[in-house]
Amino acid sequence: MPALVELTNVSMAYGRGAHAVRAIEDVTLTVSKGEFIAVVGPSGCGKSSLMKLISGLHPPASGTLTVEGKPVKGPLPSVGMAFQNSNLLPWRNAVDNVLLPLEIVEPHRSRMGRERAQYREKAIKLLNSVGLTGFTEKHPWELSGGMQQRTSICRALIHEPDILMLDEPFGALDAFTREELWCALRDIQAERHVTVMLVTHDLREAVFLADTVYVMSNRPGRIVKRCEVNIPRPRDLEVTYTQPFQDIVHELRSLIGGRH
């Protein structure tokens, strides 16, 4: 698969001069088009900072960062993002929440006035595809936590981004709902072939979903392990109880538990 994202010896800091806080140091990694990667590591290790770098929300202090072979110089419209909190607008129903990026990102913004009906139909189909048939006109307070997160992911996908970035998207959900959404995300990625970067503390989640798992050290974050998940796809939840799956999870846990 061709490379979509490339980082070479990238470092990043918050602030400047003597008061700068180093978040990431000397990170090199490549994300192929259509690949699903997960990034794990101890709290504060720079996982979310790595996501900010790749999405263009924060510049690198040193090193090179390219997406589709071009240097990243600012926020990328080709990125969709979803977070632990769904951040849905309470006065909008599910469809209108999903449509929000199209009202902001060009060329959709210029077309919204005359093509709103088509965009609305697209949003409804997307919501239906993640199991929200019958809930498309509901407001956030009428949706469960899992339904809100499904809506949030649809909002991140509506403009058909090249890269979907997920920052602890299921962290606030109960275990049953979390596993249900693992399967929903698995199916979305398989159908759309979107490149996904998932930041998570849940090692089972990382191994179940990802093609490749990167382990980061304590701050300043460095890549200490690149782990390919050689478990055949499609994966169902039963695979999480198998020995090969457990072996990968235990290896990752031992790396994070050690000192780097």
Side-chain angles (χ1 to χ4, degrees):
M1 292 183 288
L4 180 63
V5 179
E6 291 188 279
L7 288 81
T8 305
N9 304 122
V10 169
S11 297
M12 171 185 163
Y14 293 104
R16 295 181 179 179
H19 300 290
V21 177
R22 292 183 302 159
I24 291 173
E25 191 165 276
D26 199 29
V27 168
T28 296
L29 65 83
T30 299
V31 185
S32 299
K33 190 173 181 64
E35 186 178 9
F36 195 130
I37 76 162
V39 182
V40 300
S43 295
C45 71
K47 298 187 297 295
S48 296
S49 295
L50 186 62
M51 186 172 287
K52 290 178 183 177
L53 274 173
I54 295 173
S55 62
L57 296 177
H58 198 288
S62 60
T64 59
L65 165 60
T66 62
V67 173
E68 292 186 305
K70 299 176 182 178
V72 176
K73 298 181 178 179
L76 295 175
S78 59
V79 170
M81 301 188 76
F83 305 92
Q84 180 171 331
N85 296 318
S86 62
N87 296 317
L88 300 177
L89 300 179
W91 60 88
R92 286 186 170 222
N93 63 25
V95 174
D96 289 335
N97 264 290
V98 170
L99 288 173
L100 183 61
L102 301 182
E103 299 170 8
I104 300 169
V105 177
E106 293 289 4
H108 308 290
R109 179 180 178 181
S110 300
R111 300 171 181 168
M112 180 58 75
R114 64 181 183 275
E115 297 182 17
R116 190 172 186 88
Q118 294 96 309
Y119 282 131
R120 185 177 179 81
E121 182 179 353
K122 180 179 179 180
I124 291 172
K125 286 182 178 178
L126 188 54
L127 287 163
N128 289 345
S129 74
V130 298
L132 289 178
T133 302
F135 294 90
T136 57
E137 305 298 324
K138 300 294 185 182
H139 288 78
W141 70 83
E142 300 174 287
L143 302 174
S144 68
M147 289 177 174
Q148 290 179 32
Q149 281 304 90
R150 289 171 192 259
T151 304
S152 176
I153 292 171
C154 288
R155 182 176 59 187
L157 287 168
I158 188 67
H159 65 293
E160 299 183 11
D162 295 325
I163 308 170
L164 176 62
M165 295 200 164
L166 305 172
D167 193 352
E168 292 281 352
F170 313 133
L173 303 174
D174 65 87
F176 180 81
T177 302
R178 191 160 57 239
E179 291 184 350
E180 188 178 79
L181 291 188
W182 292 357
C183 296
L185 179 56
R186 171 202 64 195
D187 295 343
I188 288 170
Q189 198 270 340
E191 178 184 350
R192 295 175 173 270
H193 306 291
V194 63
T195 304
V196 181
M197 177 179 176
L198 169 70
V199 165
T200 181
H201 282 99
D202 189 326
L203 301 182
R204 291 175 67 249
E205 179 173 289
V207 176
F208 179 75
L209 288 168
D211 300 304
T212 312
V213 181
Y214 289 91
V215 181
M216 295 188 72
S217 69
N218 288 310
R219 179 175 289 190
R222 301 176 178 86
I223 301 295
V224 297
K225 177 73 173 181
R226 178 184 183 274
C227 177
E228 292 187 17
V229 182
N230 294 314
I231 298 175
R233 293 183 181 277
R235 300 171 190 157
D236 58 32
L237 290 172
E238 291 302 312
V239 79
T240 64
Y241 300 102
T242 65
Q243 195 59 51
F245 184 96
Q246 294 294 333
D247 288 345
I248 299 173
V249 171
H250 290 153
E251 180 186 6
L252 296 175
R253 182 170 289 117
S254 67
L255 287 164
I256 294 171
R259 295 182 180 180
H260 306 297

